[in-house]
Structure formats: structure tokens, C-alpha cells
Amino acid sequence: MEEMKEKAEKLFEGIKRHTELSPEDEEKIFSRLTRKVIKRKQFYLHEGQIAKSAAFVVSGCLRSYSIDENGFEHILQFAPANWWITDMYSFISEKESYLNINAVEDTEVLLLTRVDQLDLFDEVPTLERYFRIITENSLVNSHRRLLDNMSLTAKERYGKFCQVYPTLINTLPQKQIAQFLGITPEFLSKVRNESLRKK
Amino acid sequence: MEEMKEKAEKLFEGIKRHTELSPEDEEKIFSRLTRKVIKRKQFYLHEGQIAKSAAFVVSGCLRSYSIDENGFEHILQFAPANWWITDMYSFISEKESYLNINAVEDTEVLLLTRVDQLDLFDEVPTLERYFRIITENSLVNSHRRLLDNMSLTAKERYGKFCQVYPTLINTLPQKQIAQFLGITPEFLSKVRNESLRKK
DNA sequence: AAAAAAGGTTAAGGTAGGTTAAGAGGATGG
DNA sequence: CCATCCTCTTAACCTACCTTAACCTTTTTT
């Protein structure tokens, strides 16, 4: 499958932006990857399942979210092209996930199971370094978002979201942006309306 | 300094709970650690400084927090004994921190600079594994807290805090618990009052 | 031991954001 | 190509949580 090698190239580039990777290393990693297509609205992971693998998005966009006891959805993460996504809790503990992950649009992913990942960490130490680094970065993002949620108003958070994810603004339904920001779609509509009037 | 070796023992135990560590490895790590005492209310890190090191708490408790434009403090993390704490953003990017870290009570820490940490990752690969794992766990915690802040009421979050950190409840001033939960001290007082009445 | 500062409680009034409901496009699917 | 279902908007009303401020208690400083 020459086609699939092209797709993995994107991942290898990402790794090489953080650490080294020999052609042999690439081969070892490549042999553990599985390609999968997830159509719009289809699920990659359902709440209660165990997240056996993590997904590297080649094209398209996935989202992870939880559903609270009142049935409201809260979006934890969007994963556009070149991002990893999984339910980290379930992935590392092998316990039942509390997140759902599905496709915002038709999406193509490369899957890596936890078992294969751990094997690879021994075979290709530089891969463990890569995951250590991107996990550090994710933690910084998550902390930043926590503090933003505590210190900024909904309007300010929306403004920041527009700056940070200018691409997503146009492709994503507003409902989902609201669920990411932690407000209702109705209130986001109000906020947007007010922002427009001022210009 | 035999005394200091005892303190590092706590750290080594923690590492060995996640991965292997030979006596030689321990020696290599030990030689990079610095001991420091931080008295109650004294600072380990000020906003705007660069977090050159991460701190492993041997005894006592540190807290990290940011100050918003209205002067309100928002607590990101408490670090009781056997936890690591730093401003991860500043630590990995070497840019100015946006967090303050100071001591809730008299605290003793072991410091590891980023430079030494990265050196050690090459010398002792198993240490990189340890940090990869605890960073994964931190990310899970941070995600959990994000979703809790979006889906639970203040009262529910307080209840959860009491379950998860039963020790901290008694030692910490309520003001700081409120700043961690993302509510005002006055409102926490009300919440606690209501909870009591029901029992 | 006095003075000052900090932490906690209570209560009245205010506001950011939620709820409910209804209507107008747009997309989707049979 | 019509029916159905989303998505987005608007508006009236509601509530969880904030603000201010007064008062008390405990801790810290001198």
C-alpha cells in the first residue's frame, strides 16, 4: 500500500519536528499503523467502550465530548488534520471511557493501539520522546483553557477561540463552538450579535 | 549529605511505581537535584520569571495560580508531598511564566532544572518514561477538571473536591478552595452552609 | 498585649448566562 | 421534490453565582 505510506509521511514529519527519526524507525512505526475512514457523524469511540487505540487525523476532523446527566454535550477537544485524539483516561488505564469521539466531517485516521505504542516505546525510544513532548504541550493547552474558563467572560473566550482556531470558525456548526466554550448555543448567538453591532 | 539522600528516596519510590530504576540511575538523578526550603507564603516562582526548574515536594504544600486583570487569583494546582509542580508552559518553552507558585505552608522541595532533566532523559531513558507517564496522568486530571467545570454546579464541584482531596480540606483556607473551584469565597461559604443544614 | 491583617459569615441587590419557546432558513434524505 | 430535521436567531423570563459591605473571629505582627 504505497498510498498509505504517503499518509504516514504527515505523521513522520510531525515527529521529526520534535525529535530525530531514522528510516528504520519509520518502518517500525509504519508497520503498527492501521488506516481507517470515519464518515461524518460516525463514531470512533462510544462512552463505556475501552479506547484501545489513539487516532492520528490525516484529513477531516474528529471531536471528543462527554454527555452530562441532563443530556448536555460538552466538547473536550477538536482534532483537525495532524492531531492525535483519544480518550486518554481510557487509553492509559484500559477502563471504560467517559468520552465519545465522532467525526465532524468525513475523516481519515491512522490508528495506533496502546499495546503497539508501548512496544514501540522500547523499540524506538525517540517515539516515546515525541509522545512525551506532545503530551507536555497538551497539558499546557488544557491548563490554559482551565484558567481561561475561570477568568474570562463568554465573549472574551469566544474572541480568543476565533483567534486561535480561525479555520474551525467557518467549518464548525456554532452549536459545537458553544459546547466547546462551555455556554449554550443561544447565548453564543447573542454574544456574536453584540460583537457584530460594535463594528 | 546523607540527609538529602533520604528525601530523594521518596522520589525514587515514586518513579519505581511506574518503571524500573537501577542504583546507578538513582545516583545519576540524585547528582542533579538541589534541595530547597520554601517558607509559608514565600514564592518559588513569580509571574514573568522563567521557570528554570520543576519542584518535587518532599513535605509541605505549594500552589500555582494566575492573577487576572481584575486582580483575582485562580488556583491551577495544589502540590502536596510527592507531587511535582512548575509552570509547564514556561518550563518547556523558556518563555515568561504567567503563573505564580508559592508555599501554602513551610515546604521542602527537590529541584530539577529543565536542562538537567533533558540531559537525564538521554542518560536515563527510564526517567523520560516516568515523566511521560506522570504527564499523561496530569493531562487526564486536567481534562476531568475542565469537563467538571463545564457540567457541574459549584456545590457539586465542592462535594467532589472533598472526596478527592479529603486531606486538603482541613489544612487549606476556604478562600483558596474557592479559588481552585472557580467561585468566590462568599459563595463557597453559602454552599457549605447549605450542605451542613441538610445533614 | 495591643494593633493590624486576614479569614469567614451573612444578607441585599445585581448580572452573566440559562431556559423555554417559537419562527425562519438550510440541509438532508427518501 | 417534498418532508423532515437541523441550525440559527430572537425574546421574555429565570437562576446560579457575583458584588458590596458590614460584622465577627482568628491569626500574625510588633
Side-chain angles (χ1 to χ4, degrees):
Chain A
M1 272 224 167
E2 272 315 298
E3 183 205 2
M4 186 170 153
K5 217 141 203 171
E6 256 172 57
K7 317 228 144 139
E9 215 30 69
K10 290 269 207 169
L11 169 57
F12 298 148
E13 277 170 29
I15 298 177
K16 283 185 245 178
R17 227 169 289 130
H18 294 293
T19 182
E20 294 124 46
L21 202 67
S22 70
E24 298 79 54
D25 291 339
E26 292 187 9
E27 195 43 55
K28 284 176 191 160
I29 296 169
F30 182 76
S31 69
R32 308 275 189 153
L33 297 175
T34 317
R35 198 185 85 104
K36 191 176 180 188
V37 169
I38 304 164
K39 292 239 174 257
R40 189 170 129 80
K41 295 196 180 179
Q42 279 187 345
F43 281 78
Y44 164 57
L45 181 74
H46 273 287
E47 201 176 333
Q49 293 178 330
I50 290 170
K52 298 276 186 205
S53 61
F56 177 80
V57 176
V58 174
S59 65
C61 185
L62 298 182
R63 72 190 240 271
S64 65
Y65 64 95
S66 75
I67 303 178
D68 69 24
E69 51 191 7
N70 301 314
F72 289 105
E73 297 182 2
H74 305 277
I75 297 182
L76 183 61
Q77 191 196 342
F78 292 109
N82 300 317
W83 285 61
W84 284 94
I85 192 169
T86 187
D87 178 339
M88 185 61 116
Y89 165 74
S90 177
F91 186 64
I92 68 181
S93 70
E94 299 181 60
K95 292 189 184 139
E96 291 189 4
S97 75
Y98 50 82
L99 293 181
N100 298 277
I101 302 180
N102 73 4
V104 172
E105 51 189 284
D106 290 358
T107 299
E108 195 180 351
V109 295
L110 300 175
L111 302 183
L112 177 63
T113 68
R114 179 64 164 180
V115 172
D116 282 337
Q117 191 198 40
L118 293 177
D119 281 352
L120 281 173
F121 285 166
D122 289 326
E123 288 181 43
V124 186
T126 189
L127 186 73
E128 183 157 19
R129 173 154 302 175
Y130 164 71
F131 275 102
R132 192 257 303 157
I133 293 171
I134 65 171
T135 308
E136 284 174 350
N137 289 332
S138 297
L139 185 60
V140 168
N141 283 334
S142 185
H143 281 175
R144 178 75 272 156
R145 200 170 148 208
L146 250 175
L147 289 174
D148 282 350
N149 282 350
M150 293 204 274
S151 55
L152 303 180
T153 64
K155 186 187 276 188
E156 290 168 328
R157 274 178 279 149
Y158 176 67
K160 218 164 168 179
F161 184 89
C162 293
Q163 284 174 10
V164 177
Y165 306 97
T167 336
L168 292 179
I169 289 292
N170 301 312
T171 51
L172 241 43
Q174 281 182 35
K175 193 182 170 187
Q176 290 187 16
I177 297 176
Q179 288 164 346
F180 180 87
L181 295 175
I183 57 178
T184 58
E186 292 86 348
F187 192 66
L188 176 57
S189 179
K190 198 173 180 177
V191 162
R192 279 168 47 88
N193 198 317
E194 282 172 18
S195 299
L196 281 179
R197 250 173 235 170
K198 286 197 178 162
K199 284 176 189 173
Chain B
M1 272 223 166
E2 273 314 299
E3 183 205 2
M4 186 169 153
K5 217 142 202 170
E6 257 172 55
K7 318 225 144 141
E9 216 30 69
K10 292 270 208 164
L11 170 58
F12 297 148
E13 278 169 29
I15 297 175
K16 282 185 245 178
R17 227 169 287 130
H18 295 293
T19 183
E20 295 125 46
L21 202 66
S22 70
E24 298 79 53
D25 291 339
E26 291 188 10
E27 195 43 55
K28 283 178 190 157
I29 295 168
F30 182 75
S31 71
R32 308 275 190 154
L33 298 173
T34 316
R35 197 185 86 103
K36 192 176 177 186
V37 169
I38 304 163
K39 292 239 173 255
R40 190 170 128 81
K41 295 198 180 176
Q42 279 188 345
F43 281 79
Y44 165 56
L45 181 74
H46 273 286
E47 200 176 334
Q49 293 179 331
I50 291 169
K52 298 277 185 202
S53 61
F56 177 81
V57 176
V58 174
S59 66
C61 184
L62 298 183
R63 70 189 242 268
S64 65
Y65 64 95
S66 74
I67 304 178
D68 71 24
E69 50 190 8
N70 301 315
F72 290 106
E73 297 181 3
H74 305 276
I75 296 181
L76 183 61
Q77 192 197 342
F78 291 108
N82 300 318
W83 286 61
W84 284 94
I85 192 170
T86 186
D87 178 339
M88 186 60 116
Y89 165 74
S90 177
F91 186 64
I92 69 181
S93 70
E94 298 181 61
K95 292 187 184 141
E96 291 189 2
S97 74
Y98 51 82
L99 294 181
N100 297 278
I101 302 180
N102 71 5
V104 172
E105 49 189 282
D106 292 357
T107 300
E108 195 179 350
V109 294
L110 299 175
L111 301 183
L112 177 63
T113 68
R114 178 65 164 179
V115 171
D116 282 336
Q117 190 198 41
L118 294 176
D119 281 352
L120 281 172
F121 285 166
D122 289 326
E123 287 180 44
V124 186
T126 188
L127 185 73
E128 182 158 19
R129 174 154 302 174
Y130 165 71
F131 275 101
R132 192 255 304 156
I133 293 170
I134 63 171
T135 307
E136 284 174 351
N137 289 332
S138 296
L139 185 60
V140 168
N141 283 335
S142 185
H143 281 175
R144 178 74 273 155
R145 201 171 147 207
L146 250 176
L147 289 173
D148 281 351
N149 281 351
M150 293 203 276
S151 57
L152 303 180
T153 64
K155 186 187 277 189
E156 290 167 328
R157 272 177 280 148
Y158 176 66
K160 218 165 169 178
F161 185 89
C162 293
Q163 284 174 11
V164 179
Y165 305 97
T167 336
L168 290 180
I169 288 292
N170 301 313
T171 51
L172 241 44
Q174 282 182 34
K175 194 182 169 188
Q176 289 185 17
I177 297 176
Q179 288 164 347
F180 180 87
L181 294 175
I183 57 178
T184 57
E186 292 87 348
F187 193 64
L188 177 57
S189 177
K190 199 173 181 178
V191 163
R192 279 168 48 89
N193 199 319
E194 283 172 17
S195 299
L196 280 180
R197 249 174 238 171
K198 285 194 180 164
K199 284 176 188 172

